[in-house]
Amino acid sequence: MVKDKRGRDLRDLRISLTDKCNMRCKYCMPKEHFDSKHKFLPRSEILDYEEIVLIVNSLIPLGLKKVRLTGGEPLLRKDICELIKMLPEELDIAMTTNGILLEKYAPKLKKSGLKRVTVSLDAIDIETFQAMGDTKETPETVLRGIETARLAGLKVKINTVIRAGYNEHSINKISERFVGSDVIVRFIEFMDVGETNSWNLDEVLTGEQMRKMFESLEMVQPNHNGEVAKRFLHGQQELGFIESVSKPFCGDCNRARLSADGSLFTCLFASVGHDLKAMIRLGATRKDIRDAICTIWESRDDAYSETRSTTNRPKIEMSFIGG
Ligand code: SAM
Ligand code: SF4
Ligand code: SF4
């Protein structure tokens, strides 16, 4: 087991499989910045599946328990089911997706060993959905994907980013939509990730403000240390609130992130990563990689969400580093 400077474990690895996406959510990949002139990673710069698995295997002796496949949009990555089959079975394997391609892939994902899927859905009315995602896709496509995933036996959570002035009404609408199902809905405060999403504090609706939109909520104890969402029961329905802006949870953050081009980041708000791809392509063994990550993690002191008001350095985009 490895611990960082603040005594935090390395339990969770988020792997960005691609920096590309089939949506252009304004809070993540605004079209003005991610247009035809934007240089996405060339294929040769992206880690192949053997390289990803080498990194994952090197992390297991350090305490890794969970892997989340993300992006960009992970379902755009070719043969993603092959990667899932190659990952060690002892890990809890999850995915975060915008759900556009989920109806097509859910049964195959489940058969390949995926256990859980988090689907991003910011609205169920078409106008807000298309405005938030800057897309012609429809919420119906995502809802069909969610239903197919449930029927295939995947556990489903919903992530809803709330941006004040855009989709506050989704708080009640989306929770109502999933009453009586086993789908857990989590509301996320609009975060200041990256440099392109025109974030400003006035557009952040805090978890506390969101909770006022429900008549009664009962707090639920966390399942484990490092849980990102505060959980509540609304009658029988479980709701979560991810309050990274108003109530930072750096204290027990046990997440590392691997970008599609093979850099390891120790914080969502980091400016630079550690290039593991170069090591691998120079012939590094599993032990070499483990030793390097051990050194990186032991010198980790990140706590951006707790110190954001005093930090002023350029941040990497979420679609690149993996949400
Ligand atoms: N494309 C996939 C998706 O949307 O689920 C996976 C990658 S996306 C970067 C991962 C998560 O980050 C999504 O749930 C998305 O809503 C969230 N996200 C992106 N930008 C955000 C922001 N500025 N504030 C809060 N959450 C954000
Ligand atoms: Fe794409 Fe996900 Fe970012 Fe939306 S949040 S632009 S779906 S990567
Ligand atoms: Fe973890 Fe960085 Fe987020 Fe804090 S700001 S919870 S250290 S990823």
Side-chain angles (χ1 to χ4, degrees), residues 4 8 191 228 244 248-255 257 266-270 300-306 308:
D4 73 5
R8 299 169 296 189
M191 288 190 286
V228 295
S244 144
F249 37 78
C250 302
D252 44 22
C253 174
N254 48 31
R255 292 175 291 283
R257 289 180 160 81
T266 55
C267 177
L268 179 57
F269 297 90
R300 175 189 194 235
D301 194 26
D302 303 288
Y304 173 86
S305 292
E306 286 174 359
R308 56 162 54 82

Side-chain angles (χ1 to χ4, degrees), residues 60-154:
I60 288 181
L62 300 182
L64 185 73
K65 297 279 182 279
K66 182 172 152 189
V67 159
R68 177 170 295 277
L69 304 176
T70 178
E73 174 46 43
L75 290 178
L76 291 181
R77 183 79 189 251
K78 200 166 162 247
D79 299 329
I80 189 172
C81 292
E82 295 312 307
L83 171 65
I84 296 169
K85 285 183 205 153
M86 288 160 74
L87 289 169
E89 269 183 41
E90 66 203 87
L91 292 174
D92 175 12
I93 304 168
M95 175 186 288
T96 305
T97 170
N98 60 28
I100 300 293
L101 296 169
L102 194 56
E103 186 181 16
K104 176 173 173 198
Y105 285 111
K108 287 184 215 146
L109 292 167
K110 170 70 181 160
K111 269 194 209 121
S112 309
L114 191 73
K115 306 216 168 60
R116 301 183 293 112
V117 67
T118 300
V119 183
S120 303
L121 179 64
D122 297 331
I124 46 178
D125 63 286
I126 187 159
E127 295 78 16
T128 315
F129 179 92
Q130 292 186 335
M132 293 280 289
D134 209 349
T135 179
K136 292 198 165 59
E137 300 287 352
T138 68
E140 286 310 317
T141 306
V142 180
L143 290 166
R144 280 200 310 276
I146 291 169
E147 198 46 27
T148 311
R150 289 185 57 232
L151 292 174
L154 288 164

Side-chain angles (χ1 to χ4, degrees), residues 24 37-38 59 70 83 85 115 120 126 136 145 162 175 190 198 215 218 233 245 258 262 264 270 281 291 308 320 323:
R24 285 291 179 272
K37 285 190 222 104
H38 179 80
L59 281 168
T70 178
L83 171 65
K85 285 183 205 153
K115 306 216 168 60
S120 303
I126 187 159
K136 292 198 165 59
I162 299 296
S175 54
F190 175 33
S198 317
E215 264 177 24
E218 192 188 318
L233 277 181
V245 179
L258 184 64
L264 190 81
R281 294 190 181 174
D291 290 347
R308 56 162 54 82
F320 182 83

